[in-house]
Amino acid sequence: MRRLVPLLVGVLALAGCSGPAESPLGATRWQVVRITDDPDRATLLPDTLQGRVYLVIGRDTFTGGTGCLTFSGRAWWADDESRARLSDMTVTLSPGRCIPGEEDTAERLRSVLGSGDLAVTRPAEHGLKLTRTDEPVEPWQTPRSVEFTDGAG
């Protein structure tokens, strides 16, 4: 029995190392700062929603929320992790009261992130930007995108 305990501990340690691959973004809860989706709309989230709207992107799935809404779906990463795709986004009403703008913000996120190819860039140390790359954009236009902060910066 004494010989089995070290063997069992070693097997369990190795089993822990063979778990699912970590997301290129880790387990960071990315707070939405800016949504660029319509040239006639403000891009910066209002103060009431700053820090309230977030996304966590895993290796194969993503989750997020706006306070009264939660959303989730599937995630795909390119081999070099410079591109991603979020798909099958579902939005569910959570317990609690929505504040003005949460439903609209969730719909804007679904519009930009929900079904297209995304360039993944880190424009700042604590920032993340997901930009649509599958839509034609004229030179004077800004591609649709969502910008995030990790809240540490």
Side-chain angles (χ1 to χ4, degrees):
M1 180 66 174
R2 288 184 191 179
R3 291 183 188 173
L4 287 178
V5 171
L7 178 62
L8 183 58
V9 170
V11 169
L12 290 175
L14 287 175
C17 293
S18 64
E22 184 175 301
S23 164
L25 301 174
T28 302
R29 181 177 166 140
W30 292 99
Q31 298 171 20
V32 177
V33 175
R34 182 181 307 271
I35 303 173
T36 303
D37 62 337
D38 182 336
D40 296 327
R41 294 197 66 174
T43 60
L44 196 61
L45 259 59
D47 290 343
T48 56
L49 295 177
Q50 291 286 337
R52 188 171 170 96
V53 183
Y54 71 93
L55 193 67
V56 178
I57 307 172
R59 173 60 65 185
D60 301 312
T61 61
F62 69 92
T63 61
T66 65
C68 72
L69 300 166
T70 59
F71 39 90
S72 61
R74 295 183 322 151
W76 168 87
W77 292 91
D79 289 340
D80 66 358
E81 300 173 350
S82 67
R83 293 176 298 115
R85 186 177 305 121
L86 306 180
S87 61
D88 302 328
M89 183 184 285
T90 59
V91 179
T92 308
L93 186 62
S94 303
R97 293 185 57 183
C98 289
I99 62 172
E102 286 184 336
E103 293 169 331
D104 179 58
T105 299
E107 185 53 41
R108 292 176 72 191
L109 286 172
R110 183 194 328 233
S111 165
V112 176
L113 302 177
S115 62
D117 293 332
L118 303 165
V120 180
T121 56
R122 302 292 301 270
E125 181 181 357
H126 298 284
L128 169 69
K129 185 174 184 179
L130 301 177
T131 305
R132 288 292 290 262
T133 60
D134 60 335
E135 301 172 329
V137 178
E138 297 296 332
W140 64 86
Q141 294 176 314
T142 302
R144 297 190 313 150
S145 64
V146 179
E147 294 178 49
F148 306 84
T149 181
D150 64 8

